[in-house]
Amino acid sequence: MRFFLLLLLIGLPTFVRAETGDELNLSDFTQTFTEDFDSLAVSAWGPGTRWIAHTPWNGDFGSAVFVDPKPGFPFTTRDGHLRIEAAKGADEKWRSGLLASVDRSGVGFAQQFGYFEMRAKFPAGNGLWPAFWLIGLDRSTHTSEVDVVEHYGHMPARYTASIHVFDRKEPKKSRTIHQRVNVPVNSLYEGFHTYGVKTDSEWTRFYFDRREVASVPTPAEHRQPMYMLIDLGLGAGWPIEEAPNPSYMYVDYVRVWQKR
């Protein structure tokens, strides 16, 4: 298996370290968050649930609407796995699910620096867009975002990891680094894999199956508490006409550690 840096766009530090393949070492970390999906505490907007089913800023994205949870859709739990379902209704509109770990007031789980990990199995199909993200709590001037994994279904032999700094006042000053991670074709659908990121004030390091695939300097705007988003989206600018209906993303767990 080989891993490649895909693209550097302007603005972020241009010194990017190549992947090392080093195994993740958490010997000096303490686990601070565990979600094993034996059950699911979710509501549309909170309060009082561990997850809400929308982005805290109330902005859907992609070609599927993220809906309020109802019994059996879009979330179900069984045998310690979360299933997120995307389905097209009789009205020809796609609906799917998103989980956020803080509510609109910023109440919930967020953490500055540490190691964030999801273990998941993705659905196969053109137009599908499963993802695991971190978003900075402070969006007053910038939106700070880490895309731990974004998988585009028409590319079955790779996924993308990214860091973004979106300037909310002057969008032209926004900055992005994208990375492409090559994997054996269809392997993301055939079994569970871990997708992780370890952040500190200096470096942001990406991991696949607990092996480092790349690292970049941490932007100053990312030095703040970040919360988690998990979703099964559609589109991302790609056609969705061939997306399987329904489609299912399975998540085994989400866990977070912090350095002691």
Side-chain angles (χ1 to χ4, degrees):
M1 188 183 303
R2 299 168 64 193
F3 304 93
F4 298 92
L5 179 67
L6 171 64
L7 178 66
L8 274 175
L9 298 181
I10 61 172
L12 284 171
T14 56
F15 177 55
V16 179
R17 295 200 306 204
E19 71 282 353
T20 66
D22 289 348
E23 188 172 2
L24 178 69
N25 183 356
L26 294 176
S27 60
D28 57 347
F29 283 69
T30 299
Q31 197 163 317
T32 53
F33 180 93
T34 302
E35 175 61 90
D36 290 329
F37 296 112
D38 295 317
S39 59
L40 181 65
V42 62
S43 61
W45 293 106
T49 53
R50 190 172 216 189
W51 304 93
I52 65 169
H54 299 278
T55 63
W57 64 89
N58 194 21
D60 283 347
F61 50 85
S63 301
V65 175
F66 298 123
V67 298
D68 293 355
K70 298 179 180 180
F73 187 83
F75 308 112
T76 55
T77 56
R78 183 176 179 180
D79 299 329
H81 292 155
L82 168 70
R83 188 185 77 176
I84 305 176
E85 178 179 354
K88 183 167 62 172
D91 58 2
E92 296 297 309
K93 294 181 179 179
W94 281 93
R95 296 169 177 85
S96 189
L98 175 145
L99 296 177
S101 66
V102 301
D103 64 19
R104 285 183 287 192
S105 300
V107 175
F109 180 83
Q111 180 173 293
Q112 182 170 346
F113 306 140
Y115 178 67
F116 300 76
E117 182 179 82
M118 174 183 74
R119 185 173 186 263
K121 182 170 70 171
F122 294 154
N126 291 346
L128 299 178
W129 180 27
F132 175 43
W133 334 59
L134 308 181
I135 306 292
L137 275 178
D138 182 1
R139 298 179 67 246
S140 57
T141 60
H142 298 79
T143 296
S144 299
E145 178 180 322
V146 179
D147 303 341
V148 185
V149 55
E150 291 182 280
H151 176 61
Y152 308 116
H154 65 290
M155 301 177 185
R158 78 189 207 198
Y159 73 85
T160 302
S162 310
I163 60 173
H164 306 276
V165 177
F166 296 112
D167 193 308
R168 295 172 57 80
K169 295 183 178 179
E170 298 184 64
K172 291 183 178 180
K173 293 184 178 180
S174 298
R175 298 112 68 195
T176 291
I177 292 177
H178 288 303
Q179 303 177 117
R180 183 180 73 194
V181 180
N182 286 358
V183 298
V185 65
N186 294 329
S187 61
L188 304 185
Y189 321 136
E190 295 167 349
F192 285 85
H193 296 273
T194 61
Y195 306 88
V197 66
K198 186 165 64 172
T199 67
D200 58 37
S201 61
E202 301 299 323
W203 288 96
T204 298
R205 299 173 173 85
F206 292 97
Y207 293 83
F208 176 68
D209 285 339
R210 296 202 162 189
R211 295 281 179 178
E212 185 178 332
V213 296
S215 55
V216 300
T218 300
E221 295 88 347
H222 281 220
R223 296 167 186 162
Q224 61 165 305
M226 305 188 93
Y227 60 89
M228 297 177 287
L229 299 180
I230 305 162
D231 70 272
L232 176 53
L234 271 82
W238 305 102
I240 64 170
E241 289 78 11
E242 298 178 359
N245 180 33
S247 292
Y248 304 104
M249 173 182 176
Y250 294 90
V251 185
D252 182 20
Y253 65 73
V254 180
R255 296 172 184 166
V256 184
W257 290 257
Q258 192 167 54
K259 194 168 185 178
R260 290 195 289 268

